[in-house]
Amino acid sequence: MRQNSVRKEGARSRVPHASDHGWDDGAQQGDAGRPPGHRRRRGSGGKSRPRRRRRRVLRWSATVLSVLILGTAGAGYLYYQHLNGNIETDDLNLGEHRAPEPTPNAAGQTPLNILLIGSDARDSKENQKLGGAKDTFGAPPLADVQMLLHLSADRSNMSVISMPRDTLLQIPKCTDPDDGKVYPESGPRTMTNESLGRGGPGCTVATWEKLTNIHIDHYMMVDFAGVVSMADAIGGVPVCVDKNIHSRDSRGKGSGLKLKKGTTEIQGEQALQWLRTRYGFEDGTDIGRAKAQHMYMNALVRKLRENTGLTSPNQLRKLADKATKALNVDDGLGTIKKLYDLGNELKKVSPSRTTMTTMPFDYVGARVVPKPGDAEQLFRLVRDDIPLDGKGKKKPAKEKASDDPAADDDQISVQVQNGTRTVTEPPATGRASTVAQILAAKGFKKATPDMTTALTEGKTVVRYPSVDLEGDAQRVAKALGLPLSSAKKSTDVSGVTLVVGADWREGEMPPKPKKKDDRTPDSADALSGSDKKACMKVNPDFTW
């Protein structure tokens, strides 16, 4: 039985970045109404309670490994129930915002978006043996690895976006499902990795949906301790460095990774060291570590497709047991059958159509913020299900006018909100009032400013809560020269709501939409899953 942890309630003091040290293991609980033995965390009436959410998590690599092998590891009903009982679940989204679900393609298919989360907090003595910060023991978990996996609607291609853990943004209001504790919306310069400690992985999901407006279907977390045994089971993963590397500085910081120049098959604890390494790769930042993770993931998937390493049924069963004990997923993925089905979907994409990217960013001191223009471009490509490898681009869909007729302009109630705030600029003063007056001059006599809130919205949008107001929302958009697609259905509003975005900080009319550029930004540093020549650059200060 795995050891449980206890969360310490109270003020959130700033803790050292555990990503300088390593990952950790966490706790598990049970829940009624689940398959026999199925574990889920549970509240305890305000008392200290076990925290399954602190089960430390690994990268997408171990996740893919687990879901791809589960279908071949069965040994009857009892074993199936045993594996079900290993899996832990939690709520998907703890925030109030929900990104709109994507529109099905002509074949009725929809994309699949999975958020992959990794934490570097350390909560158990057992996993500290693998290397980690003893001074962060018991501290709130940090989501130091965040990757969004996008599987296209037609299952022809897959994209992954990594977000640097040092990204400064606004974490939305989140409510802990265990005890009802409310974590208020953070300031605009909060590090994204703090989201995990604000109620659980569902707050990290809420943060992504709020930032990207990409609908997230599932999240997956994997106990990092499990990667040691899983990497051993497949016989190692080939990685490359352009110089000898030893990730250890004069203060003793670093993962401890020590490799010779060239390609090496790594497994077990050495694989874990590779995934953790920051000191020694490129400029020693989280950006270099993300590149190393991308290379590892690509190599792992290629090796799995070669069907090497895993041979005997007993070997597969042991691996399935370890993988499921490491898994923490949302309720929608909480059974072996659902994970197996997901694995089959992922297997449809070849490495040549898999693209790894990093969210475009600008430095703000030692931290980063989403790069204006480029980050939104990357998010839009994923929202629109456009391949990041530039192949098989879809023809732009024709805008469809609503079947719901609009009311007369002077009868349409419109609330105007100021969404011009960005991570680098304060909101433009008075935009809600100014734009409400512009609408009133155009005949929308019931346009009123909302002076109670200042939002962050990249592009001006008209939101509406239900289909009976779609026509009214499109009419407002048309009156302002906005495309009909800027009218978006949303449960965040109670009526037609115009959010003036950062693209309209001044002037009488919003800027005319530019012709869409569907190229992946160069700043996303795209890496193809079929690139076998990729090699990590080693910082000269960490060679031997």
Side-chain angles (χ1 to χ4, degrees):
M1 179 178 293
R2 289 168 288 173
Q3 183 180 358
N4 286 342
S5 314
V6 177
R7 181 176 72 171
K8 297 178 181 179
E9 300 289 354
R12 285 182 49 83
S13 59
R14 180 69 173 88
V15 298
H17 279 301
S19 55
D20 294 345
H21 312 286
W23 300 332
D24 191 23
D25 192 16
Q28 305 183 354
Q29 281 69 46
D31 194 15
R34 303 278 162 185
H38 191 94
R39 278 175 278 219
R40 179 181 176 88
R41 67 185 169 95
R42 177 178 304 181
S44 55
K47 299 178 182 179
S48 295
R49 66 189 186 277
R51 294 282 292 180
R52 68 95 202 96
R53 78 173 58 117
R54 285 195 182 177
R55 286 210 45 84
R56 290 308 62 143
V57 288
L58 181 65
R59 317 302 190 197
W60 178 81
S61 55
T63 302
V64 171
L65 174 59
S66 64
V67 297
L68 293 188
I69 57 89
L70 290 178
T72 59
Y77 177 77
L78 291 178
Y79 189 70
Y80 174 83
Q81 293 292 54
H82 167 73
L83 293 179
N84 269 342
N86 285 343
I87 304 169
E88 293 180 350
T89 66
D90 199 359
D91 297 340
L92 176 62
N93 190 320
L94 303 184
E96 297 176 338
H97 173 78
R98 297 293 186 276
E101 295 187 13
T103 302
N105 62 15
Q109 302 165 302
T110 55
L112 190 61
N113 296 307
I114 305 170
L115 186 63
L116 313 166
I117 306 170
S119 168
D120 276 1
R122 297 191 108 19
D123 300 36
S124 75
K125 294 179 180 179
E126 177 184 358
N127 284 288
Q128 283 191 348
K129 294 178 182 178
L130 292 175
K134 292 179 174 56
D135 56 352
T136 62
F137 184 85
L142 298 170
D144 278 1
V145 176
Q146 300 175 35
M147 296 181 179
L148 181 67
L149 185 154
H150 172 82
L151 187 61
S152 66
D154 63 4
R155 305 306 189 248
S156 67
N157 65 92
M158 184 162 58
S159 307
V160 176
I161 301 176
S162 290
M163 183 188 297
R165 58 126 194 192
D166 289 343
T167 301
L168 299 176
L169 43 68
Q170 190 166 49
I171 299 175
K173 172 184 173 184
C174 291
T175 302
D176 190 316
D178 282 348
D179 57 9
K181 180 176 180 178
V182 176
Y183 294 85
E185 183 179 66
S186 75
R189 287 178 174 263
T190 304
M191 283 182 56
T192 181
N193 63 355
E194 293 185 19
S195 59
L196 186 59
R198 297 166 63 90
C203 193
T204 307
V205 170
T207 301
W208 271 80
E209 286 211 358
K210 186 68 174 179
L211 175 69
T212 68
N213 209 32
I214 296 171
H215 176 78
I216 295 177
D217 300 281
H218 301 290
Y219 82 80
M220 298 185 77
M221 302 201 309
V222 181
D223 183 307
F224 88 88
V227 77
V228 175
S229 55
M230 286 190 282
D232 286 340
I234 65 169
V237 175
V239 295
C240 176
V241 289
D242 68 350
K243 299 181 184 69
N244 295 348
I245 182 175
H246 187 200
S247 177
R248 187 72 72 196
D249 67 9
S250 59
R251 296 172 297 170
K253 290 188 175 182
S255 70
L257 178 71
K258 191 171 185 179
L259 295 176
K260 291 183 178 180
K261 176 182 177 180
T263 300
T264 304
E265 293 264 346
I266 60 174
Q267 55 186 341
E269 188 172 346
Q270 199 172 46
L272 180 62
Q273 290 174 335
W274 174 275
L275 294 167
R276 289 179 49 229
T277 295
R278 182 161 69 91
Y279 295 105
F281 286 153
E282 300 193 349
D283 61 357
T285 69
D286 196 52
I287 310 305
R289 177 165 55 185
K291 291 181 182 179
Q293 292 164 2
H294 292 168
M295 291 182 188
Y296 181 92
M297 291 156 61
N298 286 339
L300 174 66
V301 172
R302 289 196 299 267
K303 185 153 188 178
L304 285 171
R305 286 180 172 273
E306 295 170 0
N307 295 317
T308 60
L310 299 174
T311 54
S312 73
N314 186 54
Q315 187 180 30
L316 286 168
R317 281 194 294 271
K318 288 182 179 180
L319 183 55
D321 189 50
K322 293 180 183 295
T324 51
K325 283 180 179 178
L327 274 177
N328 180 294
V329 299
D330 65 278
D331 293 331
L333 284 180
T335 68
I336 295 300
K337 175 64 167 60
K338 292 176 181 178
L339 289 169
Y340 178 57
D341 290 344
L342 172 61
N344 282 334
E345 294 297 292
L346 295 173
K347 286 193 292 185
K348 293 177 182 178
V349 181
S350 69
S352 63
R353 296 300 312 277
T354 299
T355 306
M356 305 286 179
T357 64
T358 299
M359 180 197 75
F361 62 88
D362 285 330
Y363 278 103
V364 177
R367 310 302 182 203
V368 301
V369 295
K371 186 179 183 66
D374 283 8
E376 172 54 30
Q377 167 79 343
L378 190 63
F379 299 152
R380 180 186 66 80
L381 294 178
V382 171
R383 284 197 303 268
D384 293 348
D385 198 26
I386 296 172
L388 298 188
D389 60 7
K391 303 174 184 176
K393 292 181 179 178
K394 302 185 300 182
K395 293 182 179 179
K398 293 182 179 180
E399 291 198 326
K400 180 180 181 299
S402 174
D403 294 330
D404 173 61
D408 294 337
D409 291 354
D410 61 358
Q411 296 301 308
I412 299 177
S413 296
V414 186
Q415 186 177 62
V416 183
Q417 296 178 334
N418 187 347
T420 59
R421 181 176 60 191
T422 70
V423 292
T424 57
E425 296 179 289
T429 304
R431 287 307 286 168
S433 296
T434 298
V435 174
Q437 293 172 10
I438 292 172
L439 281 173
K442 290 179 175 293
F444 294 88
K445 304 300 183 183
K446 293 186 176 182
T448 57
D450 177 3
M451 310 298 290
T452 65
T453 183
L455 307 175
T456 300
E457 197 71 48
K459 291 186 177 181
T460 300
V461 62
V462 186
R463 295 197 170 102
Y464 61 93
S466 54
V467 292
D468 60 315
L469 291 177
E470 182 181 28
D472 292 356
Q474 287 190 353
R475 173 60 196 141
V476 173
K478 185 175 181 180
L480 293 172
L482 296 168
L484 297 183
S485 58
S486 65
K488 305 285 188 182
K489 186 178 178 181
S490 172
T491 58
D492 287 347
V493 297
S494 57
V496 176
T497 303
L498 171 66
V499 184
V500 183
D503 62 337
W504 191 16
R505 292 179 63 87
E506 58 185 10
E508 294 291 310
M509 295 291 283
K512 292 184 179 180
K514 298 178 181 178
K515 184 178 180 181
K516 288 185 177 181
D517 180 2
D518 289 341
R519 293 175 298 176
T520 300
D522 292 339
S523 55
D525 200 16
L527 175 68
S528 171
S530 61
D531 187 352
K532 296 183 179 181
K533 297 181 179 180
C535 203
M536 282 304 299
K537 294 181 179 179
V538 175
N539 187 311
D541 293 336
F542 290 86
T543 59
W544 56 278

Short mmCIF file of all heavy atoms in Angstrom, two decimals, residues 241-262:
data_model
loop_
_atom_site.label_atom_id
_atom_site.label_comp_id
_atom_site.label_asym_id
_atom_site.label_seq_id
_atom_site.Cartn_x
_atom_site.Cartn_y
_atom_site.Cartn_z
N VAL A 241 23.19 13.69 -26.45
CA VAL A 241 23.77 14.96 -26.01
C VAL A 241 24.98 15.26 -26.89
O VAL A 241 25.67 14.35 -27.36
CB VAL A 241 24.20 14.92 -24.53
CG1 VAL A 241 22.99 14.91 -23.62
CG2 VAL A 241 25.08 13.71 -24.23
N ASP A 242 25.22 16.56 -27.15
CA ASP A 242 26.32 16.92 -28.06
C ASP A 242 27.68 17.01 -27.37
O ASP A 242 28.70 17.19 -28.02
CB ASP A 242 26.00 18.23 -28.80
CG ASP A 242 25.99 19.44 -27.88
OD1 ASP A 242 26.05 19.28 -26.64
OD2 ASP A 242 25.92 20.57 -28.40
N LYS A 243 27.68 16.88 -26.02
CA LYS A 243 28.94 16.84 -25.25
C LYS A 243 28.72 15.95 -24.03
O LYS A 243 27.57 15.67 -23.67
CB LYS A 243 29.35 18.24 -24.76
CG LYS A 243 29.62 19.27 -25.83
CD LYS A 243 30.03 20.60 -25.18
CE LYS A 243 30.21 21.70 -26.21
NZ LYS A 243 28.93 22.11 -26.83
N ASN A 244 29.78 15.51 -23.40
CA ASN A 244 29.64 14.85 -22.10
C ASN A 244 28.91 15.79 -21.15
O ASN A 244 29.18 17.00 -21.14
CB ASN A 244 31.01 14.51 -21.51
CG ASN A 244 31.77 13.48 -22.32
OD1 ASN A 244 31.21 12.84 -23.21
ND2 ASN A 244 33.04 13.31 -22.01
N ILE A 245 28.02 15.25 -20.33
CA ILE A 245 27.26 16.08 -19.41
C ILE A 245 27.26 15.48 -18.01
O ILE A 245 27.15 14.27 -17.85
CB ILE A 245 25.80 16.30 -19.88
CG1 ILE A 245 25.05 17.21 -18.90
CG2 ILE A 245 25.07 14.97 -20.05
CD1 ILE A 245 23.64 17.57 -19.35
N HIS A 246 27.38 16.35 -17.01
CA HIS A 246 27.14 15.97 -15.61
C HIS A 246 26.34 17.10 -14.98
O HIS A 246 26.86 18.20 -14.76
CB HIS A 246 28.44 15.75 -14.86
CG HIS A 246 28.21 15.20 -13.48
ND1 HIS A 246 29.15 15.28 -12.47
CD2 HIS A 246 27.13 14.56 -12.93
CE1 HIS A 246 28.67 14.72 -11.37
NE2 HIS A 246 27.44 14.28 -11.62
N SER A 247 25.06 16.83 -14.70
CA SER A 247 24.16 17.86 -14.16
C SER A 247 24.35 17.99 -12.65
O SER A 247 23.58 17.45 -11.86
CB SER A 247 22.70 17.52 -14.48
OG SER A 247 21.82 18.46 -13.91
N ARG A 248 25.40 18.72 -12.27
CA ARG A 248 25.68 18.96 -10.86
C ARG A 248 26.58 20.20 -10.77
O ARG A 248 27.62 20.25 -11.40
CB ARG A 248 26.38 17.77 -10.22
CG ARG A 248 26.54 17.88 -8.71
CD ARG A 248 25.20 17.67 -8.01
NE ARG A 248 24.77 16.28 -8.07
CZ ARG A 248 23.52 15.89 -7.83
NH1 ARG A 248 22.59 16.79 -7.54
NH2 ARG A 248 23.19 14.61 -7.88
N ASP A 249 26.12 21.22 -10.01
CA ASP A 249 26.94 22.42 -9.89
C ASP A 249 27.71 22.42 -8.57
O ASP A 249 27.63 21.47 -7.79
CB ASP A 249 26.10 23.69 -10.06
CG ASP A 249 25.10 23.90 -8.92
OD1 ASP A 249 25.17 23.16 -7.91
OD2 ASP A 249 24.26 24.80 -9.05
N SER A 250 28.44 23.51 -8.31
CA SER A 250 29.29 23.58 -7.12
C SER A 250 28.49 23.57 -5.82
O SER A 250 29.02 23.25 -4.76
CB SER A 250 30.16 24.84 -7.18
OG SER A 250 29.34 26.01 -7.25
N ARG A 251 27.20 23.93 -5.91
CA ARG A 251 26.35 23.93 -4.72
C ARG A 251 25.61 22.61 -4.54
O ARG A 251 24.80 22.46 -3.63
CB ARG A 251 25.34 25.07 -4.81
CG ARG A 251 25.95 26.46 -4.80
CD ARG A 251 24.90 27.51 -5.09
NE ARG A 251 24.33 27.36 -6.42
CZ ARG A 251 23.25 28.02 -6.85
NH1 ARG A 251 22.62 28.85 -6.03
NH2 ARG A 251 22.81 27.82 -8.08
N GLY A 252 25.88 21.66 -5.45
CA GLY A 252 25.23 20.36 -5.34
C GLY A 252 23.89 20.29 -6.02
O GLY A 252 23.19 19.26 -5.93
N LYS A 253 23.48 21.35 -6.72
CA LYS A 253 22.19 21.34 -7.40
C LYS A 253 22.31 20.68 -8.76
O LYS A 253 23.34 20.76 -9.43
CB LYS A 253 21.66 22.77 -7.55
CG LYS A 253 21.24 23.41 -6.25
CD LYS A 253 20.55 24.74 -6.49
CE LYS A 253 20.02 25.33 -5.20
NZ LYS A 253 19.31 26.61 -5.42
N GLY A 254 21.23 20.06 -9.18
CA GLY A 254 21.20 19.38 -10.46
C GLY A 254 20.60 18.00 -10.31
O GLY A 254 20.43 17.48 -9.21
N SER A 255 20.28 17.39 -11.44
CA SER A 255 19.63 16.08 -11.41
C SER A 255 20.60 14.94 -11.15
O SER A 255 20.19 13.84 -10.79
CB SER A 255 18.92 15.83 -12.75
OG SER A 255 19.88 15.63 -13.78
N GLY A 256 21.90 15.19 -11.37
CA GLY A 256 22.89 14.12 -11.24
C GLY A 256 23.13 13.36 -12.52
O GLY A 256 23.96 12.45 -12.57
N LEU A 257 22.42 13.71 -13.61
CA LEU A 257 22.58 13.01 -14.88
C LEU A 257 24.03 13.09 -15.35
O LEU A 257 24.62 14.17 -15.39
CB LEU A 257 21.66 13.64 -15.93
CG LEU A 257 21.74 13.03 -17.34
CD1 LEU A 257 21.12 11.65 -17.36
CD2 LEU A 257 21.05 13.95 -18.36
N LYS A 258 24.57 11.95 -15.72
CA LYS A 258 25.94 11.89 -16.24
C LYS A 258 25.96 10.98 -17.45
O LYS A 258 25.72 9.78 -17.36
CB LYS A 258 26.91 11.38 -15.17
CG LYS A 258 28.38 11.54 -15.56
CD LYS A 258 29.30 11.22 -14.39
CE LYS A 258 30.75 11.50 -14.76
NZ LYS A 258 31.68 11.21 -13.62
N LEU A 259 26.23 11.56 -18.62
CA LEU A 259 26.23 10.81 -19.88
C LEU A 259 27.43 11.21 -20.73
O LEU A 259 27.95 12.34 -20.62
CB LEU A 259 24.95 11.11 -20.69
CG LEU A 259 23.60 10.67 -20.11
CD1 LEU A 259 22.49 11.14 -21.02
CD2 LEU A 259 23.56 9.17 -19.94
N LYS A 260 27.85 10.31 -21.58
CA LYS A 260 28.89 10.61 -22.55
C LYS A 260 28.26 11.21 -23.81
O LYS A 260 27.08 11.02 -24.09
CB LYS A 260 29.67 9.34 -22.92
CG LYS A 260 30.53 8.79 -21.80
CD LYS A 260 31.33 7.58 -22.28
CE LYS A 260 32.23 7.06 -21.17
NZ LYS A 260 33.02 5.89 -21.63
N LYS A 261 29.05 11.93 -24.56
CA LYS A 261 28.62 12.53 -25.82
C LYS A 261 28.05 11.45 -26.74
O LYS A 261 28.56 10.33 -26.81
CB LYS A 261 29.80 13.22 -26.49
CG LYS A 261 29.48 13.80 -27.86
CD LYS A 261 30.72 14.44 -28.48
CE LYS A 261 30.43 14.95 -29.90
NZ LYS A 261 31.63 15.57 -30.50
N GLY A 262 26.97 11.79 -27.44
CA GLY A 262 26.37 10.87 -28.38
C GLY A 262 25.06 10.31 -27.87
O GLY A 262 24.42 10.91 -26.99
#
